[in-house]
Amino acid sequence: MEIFYSPKFRRQYKKLPLSVKKRAEQMEKIFKGNPFSSKLKTHKLSGQFNKYWSFSVDHQNRVIFEFYKKDIVRFHLVGDHSIYD
């Protein structure tokens, strides 16, 4: 699986605390192996984000992404629930 990162994702990621960055990297490894692993709590979003999916980094932080093509994913946003605003 190939993952592309949006410019906004990169900016948000840089601002995360180091502990969250490390956890996000661990969860990304799991995601690459199985995007629907129960550890990720992957789910389809609704409303204005209805073309996107989300998985949990930890209890507060999420990654919003889309399945772009077969084996290609784009990570769009990362952070706490304020990223939905």
Side-chain angles (χ1 to χ4, degrees):
M1 174 178 299
E2 193 169 4
I3 299 174
F4 291 93
Y5 308 94
S6 74
K8 188 165 188 174
F9 178 93
R10 290 178 189 275
R11 286 191 304 274
Q12 290 172 328
Y13 182 82
K14 283 182 183 179
K15 295 177 183 178
L16 294 174
L18 182 59
S19 61
V20 176
K21 288 179 184 178
K22 287 183 179 183
R23 179 74 176 163
E25 290 169 11
Q26 293 170 346
M27 299 311 270
E28 183 178 326
K29 287 179 185 176
I30 293 169
F31 181 87
K32 284 182 177 181
N34 176 6
F36 294 99
S37 168
S38 62
K39 293 178 183 177
L40 298 170
K41 300 178 186 159
T42 303
H43 61 281
K44 182 90 167 109
L45 298 175
S46 60
Q48 67 179 358
F49 291 95
N50 65 356
K51 71 176 190 174
Y52 301 104
W53 293 76
S54 175
F55 71 82
S56 297
V57 172
D58 57 24
H59 284 58
Q60 292 181 338
N61 295 285
R62 311 281 179 268
V63 171
I64 295 177
F65 67 95
E66 70 177 314
F67 291 103
Y68 183 65
K69 293 182 180 177
K70 185 177 179 176
D71 296 328
I72 297 177
V73 174
R74 288 187 179 172
F75 283 10
H76 289 280
L77 304 170
V78 62
D80 62 21
H81 276 99
S82 68
I83 62 175
Y84 296 110
D85 297 334

